[in-house]
Amino acid sequence: MPKTTKSGKPKQSELPSTLQRSGKKAQETFAEAHDSAAETYGDEERAHRVAYSALKHSHEKVGDHWEPKEKYGPSDQQAKGGKNTSRQTKGGVDANASKEHLYDLAKKLDVPGRSKMDKSQLVEALRKANNRETRKSR
């Protein structure tokens, strides 16, 4: 199912809920990548994965929505590896961001114990906090 209108604007009703709560650029990135991949591959599931991969290069998940990243690029090793990798994703958390940035996000999301966490623990705690916030928003 196309995620954009004939004029190229994202169809709000077709976007995942986290993107409906996100900015225009995140919505456009996801929708355009999805439609291009759906046309290319003819597979809805694959189009969805491609769209999230494209989104994760320019945006990161913060709570129940997506925000622009400070630096363009893959968000984790799975996104960096391409279609032939099978590592677990970090759920939209920019695992390549600095520890300081991750700590600031953890503070924003009120993650308990954040001051004693190393970088990988912060990434996992943020992934869980984002999932919690998304579930609460539904």
Side-chain angles (χ1 to χ4, degrees):
M1 169 121 349
K3 305 294 184 205
T4 56
T5 63
K6 288 186 181 193
S7 64
K9 293 184 179 181
K11 290 182 184 175
Q12 291 297 314
S13 63
E14 294 296 324
L15 294 174
S17 63
T18 57
L19 281 156
Q20 290 175 4
R21 292 184 289 275
S22 302
K24 181 180 176 185
K25 181 64 178 157
Q27 293 175 0
E28 289 172 348
T29 299
F30 180 89
E32 290 170 8
H34 176 278
D35 289 357
S36 177
E39 187 177 310
T40 300
Y41 304 118
D43 176 2
E44 181 69 22
E45 183 183 336
R46 189 169 183 187
H48 208 73
R49 286 194 317 263
V50 167
Y52 270 116
S53 180
L55 178 66
K56 290 176 184 179
H57 274 68
S58 59
H59 291 76
E60 63 185 327
K61 192 166 180 213
V62 179
D64 66 348
H65 64 283
W66 295 83
E67 294 183 4
K69 289 175 26 175
E70 293 177 353
K71 186 175 169 187
Y72 181 86
S75 59
D76 55 39
Q77 288 301 309
Q78 173 62 23
K80 185 178 180 182
K83 71 175 185 152
N84 294 325
T85 58
S86 59
R87 292 179 285 267
Q88 187 71 23
T89 72
K90 303 303 178 198
V93 175
D94 186 6
N96 293 324
S98 69
K99 182 179 177 185
E100 179 182 16
H101 176 74
L102 296 170
Y103 177 82
D104 289 343
L105 289 178
K107 190 174 181 181
K108 181 177 181 178
L109 295 172
D110 200 26
V111 172
R114 62 188 172 267
S115 63
K116 295 179 178 140
M117 293 181 183
D118 64 23
K119 187 174 176 178
S120 64
Q121 291 169 322
L122 282 167
V123 168
E124 183 60 19
L126 285 167
R127 186 189 65 75
K128 288 178 181 178
N130 288 342
N131 289 343
R132 243 186 334 273
E133 290 297 316
T134 299
R135 281 192 305 273
K136 283 181 7 185
S137 295
R138 291 186 181 159

